[in-house]
Amino acid sequence: RRTKVVIFILASFVAFTKIVPLVRAQPPAQVNVVAIGLSPLEAPTNASFVPASAFTMEAWIYPTSNTPYAWIMGMDGDSSLTYALLMNSDGTKPLFLTSMGNVGGDSISPLFQWTHLAAVYGGGTIQLFVNGQLSASGTTSGFPLAKVTVPFSIGFAFKSDGSPDFYAFPGYAQDLSYWSVARTQLQI
């Protein structure tokens, strides 16, 4: 059974427990985008975002500044990171971090330009795709140590007590999605 949880960023989105007024913007030739760092979203704490065997996170991002460890999406942990798609230590390249393994992209995500990111976990591998091309990969065993008490969040990381962690993503995002399967390069 394959399940897809798509995260549509709309002001009327009711599946999130923490509704924050959305800041809408229109970067060049784009509509229906949101400044995710200014209007972070937090999913309900339930098993939907706790990986059973594999998962994929995808997003179109439009960074407006280089912020170290800027959170795009994922599930933070109370004592250690569960899994996350975020920017690196100087805010120029994407990272896919999990409690079971990490990979960093070698492709720069340029400022004021749309970049597609996909983080894939499953089958003993962890992969990061940038604009449809494999940017980094590694091997792993086991699954991220996710807790149902920690929310899946977009734009800013939250711990189970609601306190913030990491830095907010500076810029816009569109078409964010979480899949409960490891998508292939052709599907991305």
Side-chain angles (χ1 to χ4, degrees):
R1 179 178 157 207
R2 293 183 181 198
T3 304
K4 176 186 176 190
V5 178
V6 177
I7 303 160
F8 293 100
I9 300 182
L10 300 171
S12 62
F13 190 73
V14 295
F16 286 98
T17 57
K18 183 175 184 177
I19 301 297
V20 180
L22 298 178
V23 177
R24 295 208 180 268
Q26 293 185 10
Q30 298 294 322
V31 294
N32 299 323
V33 299
V34 67
I36 60 173
L38 297 175
S39 299
L41 300 171
E42 183 179 337
T45 52
N46 63 44
S48 296
F49 297 101
V50 176
S53 61
F55 67 95
T56 302
M57 295 184 292
E58 292 184 71
W60 281 95
I61 63 166
Y62 187 92
T64 56
S65 71
N66 293 325
T67 301
Y69 301 110
W71 187 269
I72 299 168
M73 72 168 96
M75 194 174 208
D76 197 2
D78 285 328
S79 59
S80 66
L81 179 70
T82 300
Y83 61 88
L85 182 56
L86 68 162
M87 301 306 285
N88 71 349
S89 61
D90 66 4
T92 61
K93 298 176 183 177
L95 292 175
F96 180 24
L97 305 180
T98 77
S99 57
M100 302 305 289
N102 308 315
V103 292
D106 57 3
S107 302
I108 291 178
S109 295
L111 297 179
F112 306 105
Q113 183 175 324
W114 285 102
T115 302
H116 183 263
L117 302 177
V120 181
Y121 190 96
T125 63
I126 181 171
Q127 300 172 312
L128 179 63
F129 293 88
V130 178
N131 291 324
Q133 300 303 310
L134 183 63
S135 180
S137 66
T139 59
T140 185
S141 61
F143 303 104
L145 307 173
K147 296 180 182 177
V148 176
T149 59
V150 179
F152 182 90
S153 58
I154 298 171
F156 205 88
F158 295 99
K159 294 184 179 242
S160 63
D161 65 1
S163 63
D165 200 9
F166 290 90
Y167 293 99
F169 180 78
Y172 306 95
Q174 181 175 343
D175 298 334
L176 295 111
S177 57
Y178 176 95
W179 300 73
S180 64
V181 296
R183 299 190 80 209
T184 67
Q185 186 171 6
L186 290 176
Q187 293 170 321
I188 294 169

